[in-house]
Amino acid sequence: QPQISLQASSSEFLCASGEICVPVDITDSDGNLLSVSVSPGAWYNESAGTVCFIAGVSGDFVVEVTAIDSCGAFTIASTTVQVTINTARVVVASGDTTVRGCTLQEVCFAVGISDADYNFDPASVTVQPYGSYDPISGTVCLTPQDTGAIAVIISAIDSCGAIGADTTWVIAELEP
């Protein structure tokens, strides 16, 4: 009778949809293995000793392997692969801000950055055209260099390269 050794249930994190391969070892003590079939949408690579499939969405994928020998004896084994595909960061800046004063002065506003996959480094936040992000207070601060409107773009990138961004307008006015 054929024997199938398949890894236990596992989890995989992918930056984008892609191929996942699960190690499998199929033997038959009589040496008369006739066929190997796998779950629909998957394929068996005998030389690599793997069963592979394309994960296009996050979720649980059940990989089933059936081995049949020439005498009709068969074995079925399965494992579940929990797949998580990266999602983009979410950046939410507070509304537009107007600052008035006798001189141009620093203005700070709140910025919320969330990452459902927890693969985000606060050091990756950029503020354009200038300014700085403080991850402890969750604020962006800048000192306008001139009067008028400035589009401040806050971007965050994760370890997969996915970017989230938001824009706040800062309007700097001098008192007459």
Side-chain angles (χ1 to χ4, degrees):
Q1 177 167 342
Q3 299 296 314
I4 301 172
S5 175
L6 196 57
Q7 78 176 23
S9 294
S10 61
S11 327
E12 294 286 337
F13 178 82
L14 301 176
C15 287
S17 22
E19 180 179 275
I20 293 177
C21 293
V22 177
V24 63
D25 183 40
I26 302 170
T27 58
D28 185 81
S29 58
D30 302 333
N32 63 345
L33 186 63
L34 180 64
S35 67
V36 174
S37 60
V38 296
S39 307
W43 61 94
Y44 172 58
N45 182 329
E46 183 177 3
S47 62
T50 58
V51 174
C52 302
F53 63 94
I54 299 293
V57 296
S58 295
D60 290 342
F61 292 82
V62 176
V63 176
E64 186 174 274
V65 179
T66 303
I68 303 172
D69 71 15
S70 60
C71 296
F74 66 93
T75 300
I76 300 172
S78 66
T79 188
T80 300
V81 181
Q82 182 182 42
V83 177
T84 303
I85 297 178
N86 189 57
T87 54
R89 305 325 80 236
V90 176
V91 177
V92 179
S94 61
D96 299 344
T97 302
T98 299
V99 60
R100 290 181 184 91
C102 295
T103 60
L104 297 173
Q105 54 195 321
E106 183 179 62
V107 60
C108 297
F109 54 90
V111 175
I113 300 174
S114 61
D115 182 359
D117 305 310
Y118 306 105
N119 64 335
F120 159 72
D121 179 0
S124 73
V125 175
T126 59
V127 180
Q128 297 294 328
Y130 53 87
S132 61
Y133 171 69
D134 180 351
I136 296 169
S137 64
T139 58
V140 165
C141 295
L142 62 103
T143 301
Q145 297 173 354
D146 202 354
T147 57
I150 306 163
V152 181
I153 303 166
I154 304 93
S155 302
I157 188 167
D158 69 12
S159 62
C160 289
I163 298 173
D166 196 11
T167 302
T168 291
W169 285 88
V170 173
I171 302 160
E173 298 177 348
L174 289 176
E175 295 288 340

